[in-house]
Amino acid sequence: MTSARTPHETAREIPEATVARLPVYLRALSTLADSGTTTCSSEALAQAAGVNSAKLRKDLSYLGSYGTRGVGYDVDYLRYQIAREIGVTQDWPVVIVGIGNLGHALANFSGFRSRGFRVVALLDADPRRQAEVVAGVDVRPFDHLEAIVAEHGVAIGVIATPAAAAQDVADRMVEAGITSILNFAPTVLSVGEGVDVRKVDLSIELQILAYHEQRKNGALGEEDAS
Amino acid sequence: MTSARTPHETAREIPEATVARLPVYLRALSTLADSGTTTCSSEALAQAAGVNSAKLRKDLSYLGSYGTRGVGYDVDYLRYQIAREIGVTQDWPVVIVGIGNLGHALANFSGFRSRGFRVVALLDADPRRQAEVVAGVDVRPFDHLEAIVAEHGVAIGVIATPAAAAQDVADRMVEAGITSILNFAPTVLSVGEGVDVRKVDLSIELQILAYHEQRKNGALGEEDAS
DNA sequence: TAGATTGTTAATCGATTAACAATC
DNA sequence: TAGATTGTTAATCGATTAACAATC
């Protein structure tokens, strides 16, 4: 290291592209651990994660020096270090709003609990849905949002409503104190400073694939046919 | 333009970051059109899309010159040009494999059809699911994959199976002739050259939010407490 | 010591942004 | 013509990658 960290400095900034890959490494390490592997090289881990080893080593270098030259990485140790860096060693209460088909799928998603995320409430504005119990949690009125956020200290909200309702839901979430939103509704959300929004958009992903697919088919769609 | 395109050149390369934003612009234009707007400036469109106007103009410049200086863009005209560039003016038959909670949600997703994507088959390996009809399409055995791909000329496949099955499904898809895969299973897929894979991963998105959330909470998680 | 593999450097590449000339 | 807004330039920033010295 070229410069020692001073006590008052916050931990080194990790580039956004690296942050987005850390969960991938974490999953690859878990898979390796499950298969009984205790040590791995950057080459082996990179392959499991689907990246090249130079990128992996560069990414890990932002966290610290957790490997051993000539040997590799201890799977469990590295796994813990990455988990701690991401923050998934702690418990994250989550609220899901909009319990339609997608909300059901999300509520039942097992990867939630296994990574420190705990669904504390399922909310829906439709009274007909409020009778249901999904994945062992009962669906409650959307109006309970503020009380639930306050009670459980919820910081992360998931929006699985139709597009038309999403902005209102986001506004209410932010007002209630939520500062991170995962949005599945196909609409751009506007939120204030300090609130993070990530978007998952099926339609956009398909369109990106379609674009590349169209290119693959050579001159088929070309307008300059001679 | 500095250099004229020669007849044999394929159309200008569009940067990947731009390709990923074109569907966002397309949606924003559709929203504007629905609200009766016929002309808009780069500033207005950029705001609707959630980007800054310099980036928008730069992105559009890769497609051509579709605006009018001093005036702005014709909403319908620009919408058509972007749709054509992405490839959503044509019809894209799609197969979904894995009809659990998520598969149900995907099959019912309305944004599919509205953008030129047509679900031609729902496949599942579990015979108990093969009795079902979802969104007007009946669930068929996974073994029918090859026949369906051949019959409809399917180029795009969606994987909504558990992680353990995903690689096998991908292999079968590629062998059947599918060259674009949208993967919802939380696993890294390995596919040959020429096959595009995009990944949608709820758990990773949540972990990225958790990382930033942890930072917001100031020194709470710091190890260097004095 | 010899072989292996990390952590880091430096070069390259791609994306973003502000500014403004071109032009409606 | 005067005002508005595009399309493009060029500077800056961030991400990727190969190469290799450090070191187990």
Side-chain angles (χ1 to χ4, degrees):
Chain A
M1 235 180 267
T2 49
S3 71
R5 224 172 304 136
T6 62
H8 282 291
E9 252 178 326
T10 54
R12 58 273 150 212
E13 266 315 301
I14 298 183
E16 198 48 41
T18 297
V19 170
R21 282 187 295 265
L22 292 179
V24 180
Y25 302 152
L26 189 56
R27 175 176 295 151
L29 285 165
S30 298
T31 305
L32 287 172
D34 289 348
S35 73
T37 308
T38 57
T39 298
C40 71
S41 66
S42 64
E43 189 56 46
L45 180 54
Q47 177 145 21
V51 301
N52 76 44
S53 64
K55 192 187 278 182
L56 170 73
R57 289 199 301 279
K58 181 77 173 153
D59 284 341
L60 294 183
S61 76
Y62 292 110
L63 313 193
S65 293
Y66 296 132
T68 307
R69 289 167 201 248
V71 178
Y73 301 91
D74 181 278
V75 170
D76 281 333
Y77 180 63
L78 183 57
R79 181 156 68 139
Y80 172 73
Q81 293 299 339
I82 294 177
R84 190 176 52 79
E85 190 70 38
I86 297 175
V88 292
T89 48
Q90 60 188 95
D91 181 72
W92 293 102
V94 169
V95 160
I96 302 176
V97 177
I99 314 302
N101 277 302
L102 180 61
H104 270 90
L106 298 177
N108 280 297
F109 179 59
S110 62
F112 253 125
R113 279 200 176 70
S114 70
R115 287 265 166 268
F117 301 99
R118 185 164 45 92
V119 178
V120 297
L122 305 175
L123 306 179
D124 202 296
D126 185 344
R128 285 168 299 182
R129 290 215 177 102
Q130 292 161 15
E132 284 186 72
V133 176
V134 180
V137 179
D138 45 77
V139 179
R140 297 166 62 182
F142 178 58
D143 284 334
H144 292 196
L145 177 70
E146 288 77 6
I148 289 162
V149 169
E151 183 190 343
H152 294 93
V154 176
I156 300 176
V158 177
I159 299 179
T161 65
Q167 182 63 57
D168 283 346
V169 171
D171 291 343
R172 285 279 293 270
M173 281 182 167
V174 171
E175 203 165 340
I178 283 176
T179 45
S180 290
I181 294 175
L182 183 53
N183 179 32
F184 286 87
T187 188
V188 175
L189 294 183
S190 104
V191 296
E193 281 275 310
V195 178
D196 279 318
V197 175
R198 292 193 66 88
K199 176 177 71 172
V200 173
D201 195 314
L202 167 64
S203 172
I204 286 178
E205 298 299 326
L206 282 173
Q207 289 177 64
I208 295 169
L209 287 174
Y211 172 82
H212 294 294
E213 196 59 46
Q214 190 183 37
R215 305 278 127 159
K216 287 179 199 164
N217 299 338
L220 226 153
E222 295 292 357
E223 55 265 74
D224 298 359
S226 57
Chain B
M1 234 180 268
T2 49
S3 70
R5 226 173 301 135
T6 62
H8 281 291
E9 252 179 327
T10 54
R12 60 273 152 214
E13 268 311 304
I14 298 184
E16 198 48 42
T18 297
V19 170
R21 281 187 295 264
L22 291 180
V24 180
Y25 303 152
L26 190 56
R27 176 176 294 151
L29 285 165
S30 299
T31 305
L32 287 172
D34 288 349
S35 73
T37 309
T38 57
T39 298
C40 71
S41 66
S42 64
E43 187 57 45
L45 180 54
Q47 177 146 22
V51 302
N52 77 44
S53 65
K55 191 187 279 181
L56 170 73
R57 290 198 302 277
K58 181 78 173 151
D59 284 340
L60 295 184
S61 76
Y62 293 110
L63 312 194
S65 292
Y66 297 134
T68 307
R69 292 170 199 246
V71 178
Y73 301 91
D74 180 278
V75 170
D76 281 333
Y77 180 65
L78 183 58
R79 180 157 68 139
Y80 172 74
Q81 293 300 340
I82 294 177
R84 192 178 51 79
E85 189 70 39
I86 297 175
V88 292
T89 48
Q90 59 186 99
D91 182 72
W92 294 102
V94 169
V95 160
I96 302 177
V97 177
I99 315 300
N101 277 302
L102 180 60
H104 269 89
L106 298 177
N108 281 297
F109 179 58
S110 62
F112 252 124
R113 279 199 175 73
S114 70
R115 288 264 166 267
F117 301 100
R118 185 165 45 92
V119 178
V120 296
L122 305 175
L123 305 179
D124 201 297
D126 186 343
R128 284 168 299 180
R129 290 214 176 105
Q130 292 160 14
E132 283 186 72
V133 177
V134 180
V137 179
D138 46 75
V139 179
R140 297 166 61 182
F142 178 57
D143 284 334
H144 292 198
L145 178 70
E146 287 78 5
I148 289 163
V149 169
E151 184 190 343
H152 294 92
V154 176
I156 301 176
V158 177
I159 300 179
T161 65
Q167 183 63 58
D168 284 344
V169 170
D171 291 343
R172 286 280 293 273
M173 282 183 167
V174 171
E175 203 164 339
I178 282 176
T179 45
S180 290
I181 295 175
L182 182 55
N183 180 33
F184 287 87
T187 188
V188 174
L189 294 183
S190 104
V191 296
E193 281 275 310
V195 179
D196 278 320
V197 175
R198 292 192 66 87
K199 178 177 70 172
V200 173
D201 196 315
L202 168 65
S203 171
I204 286 178
E205 298 299 325
L206 282 173
Q207 288 176 65
I208 295 169
L209 286 174
Y211 171 82
H212 293 294
E213 195 59 47
Q214 190 182 37
R215 302 281 126 158
K216 287 178 200 164
N217 299 338
L220 227 153
E222 297 289 1
E223 54 264 76
D224 299 358
S226 57

